[in-house]
Amino acid sequence: MKSAKESGHGGAGQVLVEEKRFARILTLNRPQQLNALSFQMITELQKHFTANEEDPKVKLLILKGKGRAFCAGGDVAEVAHSTNEGHWTNGANFFWNEFRLNYLIATYSKPQVSLLDGIVMGGGAGVSIHGRFRVATDKTVFAMPETALGLFPDIGSSYFLSRLPGFFGEYVGLTGARLNGAEMLACGLATHFVPSGRLTALEESLTKVGSSDPFAVCAVIDKYSEQLPLKETSAFNRLDVIDKCFSKNSVEEILSALEQEAVNNTEWILAAVQSLKKASPLSLKICLRSIREGRLQSIGQCLTKDYRICCHILRKEASKDFFEGCRALLVDKDKNPKWEPSRLELIDDAMVDRYFSKVDDQGWEDLKLPTRQGPGVKLGSKL
């Protein structure tokens, strides 16, 4: 066994690596930033995932976060700052590398076990949900909160959100609703639920698995797992209402349907209505279309689409909502963003279409993904 060592230059220590028997344990190590993914972290993760896939001595990877978060997302505040201070391609370079890492994880040939013991949001989902095993705990808090920030659920999330039961993915993506570990397991975002207190023992057992056979890895995790009943108040217990509302063809129709249901004063419905009204109208429309398209797209196509949308957002072509959202929620923290366009009815299909098109800029190119053969993410099942 080798002890944990720091990884990286410039961002030294942002990813800790421990070589233990047949496993490699990667720990995201920016606890004060809730392990938000920096460019340095993404580069280091790409390096380690690639090297360990090629190393025959390594049978599986374990990914976890230090502190109270697994990973609270990409460092979007830094993306916005580097774009404002320099050029939009600075931000595009971040997303280019992040999405290539997401693809590497989604097609990885060895089992990846992500220990989601804390906050999992945005980019944190990108480095875990695409992997083979996702272990939720009693401390897990999952969300895709991007529409409240003037962004949209990226990192290829339209691939897995669109494959959740019914229209639960639209609910999660549009409203940014928070899910606990039991809800993640119920909807298929997590493959297992293991109480937080058992993770150390689970991790030790995983390092002894001398095989990359996912069935062997799954059998070990199963020994520590629990099946948890959902709380009565869980929105996942209301799939009939969610499907009725979030199956509508437009954000306006979804909001109207929710408001009609809200006469019963159901807390989660009122929260969903409030979230939709606070979010960027343009982000909501981009999000809904992205998830609907994702149902018929591969993970590679979803990531390519996400890169196009991100580039248009960074170029501030039709809206500056992302930069305004970062200002209001992350910088000034007045929590009062001024969205433009300010209302759903001011956004036509042509404006949304533009975000899904190629970028008209000399030298720009679509996201290039390597040719790979991998198992791909399988939601709703352990294998």
Side-chain angles (χ1 to χ4, degrees):
M1 168 186 160
K2 297 182 181 179
S3 60
K5 55 188 178 183
E6 293 185 348
S7 169
H9 306 280
Q14 291 188 11
V15 178
L16 303 179
V17 184
E18 186 177 358
E19 301 174 3
K20 196 168 185 181
R21 301 186 185 94
F22 300 104
R24 296 297 177 266
I25 304 168
L26 306 180
T27 303
L28 306 178
N29 186 36
R30 296 181 76 202
Q32 290 186 323
Q33 293 81 25
L34 300 179
N35 298 321
L37 293 174
S38 65
F39 183 83
Q40 179 70 30
M41 291 173 83
I42 291 168
T43 302
E44 289 299 322
L45 287 170
Q46 283 178 323
K47 181 181 76 174
H48 291 301
F49 269 89
T50 301
N52 287 311
E53 188 172 38
E54 297 169 355
D55 187 344
K57 299 189 298 296
V58 179
K59 303 304 180 184
L60 72 149
L61 289 186
I62 299 171
L63 185 64
K64 62 182 183 177
K66 188 173 183 179
R68 65 188 184 93
F70 170 77
C71 174
D75 195 344
V76 291
E78 178 57 33
V79 170
H81 176 75
S82 67
T83 301
N84 281 328
E85 294 297 312
H87 194 264
W88 71 269
T89 52
N90 292 340
N93 188 43
F94 176 91
F95 290 118
W96 175 283
N97 284 277
E98 182 183 24
F99 297 164
R100 283 174 62 89
L101 172 62
N102 298 151
Y103 188 70
L104 173 61
I105 288 171
T107 57
Y108 208 60
S109 63
K110 295 179 179 179
Q112 172 190 342
V113 182
S114 298
L115 305 180
L116 309 177
D117 194 34
I119 300 167
V120 187
M121 295 184 180
V127 296
S128 59
I129 306 300
H130 293 304
R132 174 68 73 168
F133 299 108
R134 293 89 63 188
V135 180
T137 77
D138 43 294
K139 295 181 180 178
T140 303
V141 179
F142 175 92
M144 299 298 292
E146 288 85 354
T147 59
L149 199 66
L151 197 56
F152 72 105
D154 56 349
I155 51 91
S157 65
S158 62
Y159 181 81
F160 59 76
L161 290 176
S162 65
R163 286 160 174 80
L164 298 185
F167 293 86
F168 195 67
E170 277 90 337
Y171 165 67
V172 171
L174 287 167
T175 68
R178 295 189 172 197
L179 307 180
N180 61 30
E183 291 168 320
M184 284 190 74
L185 181 66
C187 73
L189 285 169
T191 57
H192 296 80
F193 181 95
V194 175
S196 182
R198 297 182 191 172
L199 288 184
T200 300
L202 169 60
E203 191 177 307
E204 179 69 14
S205 295
L206 286 170
T207 67
K208 300 175 182 176
V209 180
S211 168
S212 291
D213 180 358
F215 288 95
V217 177
C218 186
V220 171
I221 307 174
D222 282 345
K223 292 178 182 178
Y224 296 87
S225 300
E226 287 185 1
Q227 290 289 336
L228 278 190
L230 290 173
K231 293 181 180 179
E232 282 297 316
T233 54
S234 171
F236 194 72
N237 284 329
R238 309 291 187 270
L239 267 183
D240 54 339
V241 178
I242 286 176
D243 288 351
K244 178 181 176 182
C245 297
F246 285 87
S247 61
K248 303 298 184 184
N249 291 325
S250 69
V251 179
E252 292 93 329
E253 290 174 295
I254 289 171
L255 186 55
S256 176
L258 282 169
E259 287 176 328
Q260 291 176 34
E261 293 290 336
V263 294
N264 299 320
N265 258 352
T266 306
E267 187 176 334
W268 73 266
I269 296 180
L270 294 172
V273 170
Q274 196 66 19
S275 295
L276 292 176
K277 289 184 174 181
K278 283 185 176 181
S280 157
L282 181 57
S283 292
L284 291 173
K285 293 213 169 188
I286 291 172
C287 173
L288 181 60
R289 175 166 166 180
S290 180
I291 294 174
R292 293 283 160 87
E293 287 190 358
R295 278 186 166 81
L296 301 176
Q297 292 176 328
S298 67
I299 179 59
Q301 290 171 323
C302 288
L303 288 165
T304 300
K305 169 186 65 184
D306 288 353
Y307 182 69
R308 287 187 182 184
I309 298 170
C310 283
C311 287
H312 284 291
I313 287 173
L314 292 169
R315 285 164 58 84
K316 308 176 185 178
E317 292 177 349
S319 172
K320 298 178 182 179
D321 277 3
F322 169 56
F323 299 90
E324 171 62 7
C326 285
R327 180 206 64 76
L329 274 69
L330 303 177
V331 181
D332 298 340
K333 298 184 180 179
D334 57 46
K335 297 184 180 180
N336 187 30
K338 305 298 184 196
W339 304 127
E340 188 61 43
S342 59
R343 299 195 309 278
L344 289 166
E345 58 268 26
L346 297 176
I347 303 164
D348 60 19
D349 289 343
M351 184 181 293
V352 179
D353 289 345
R354 183 174 184 177
Y355 283 82
F356 290 78
S357 65
K358 291 186 176 184
V359 174
D360 184 15
D361 187 274
Q362 189 173 8
W364 181 89
E365 57 183 354
D366 262 329
L367 181 67
K368 289 186 177 178
L369 298 170
T371 302
R372 291 179 52 78
Q373 298 293 328
V377 62
K378 295 183 180 180
L379 291 168
S381 65
K382 295 177 181 177
L383 294 169

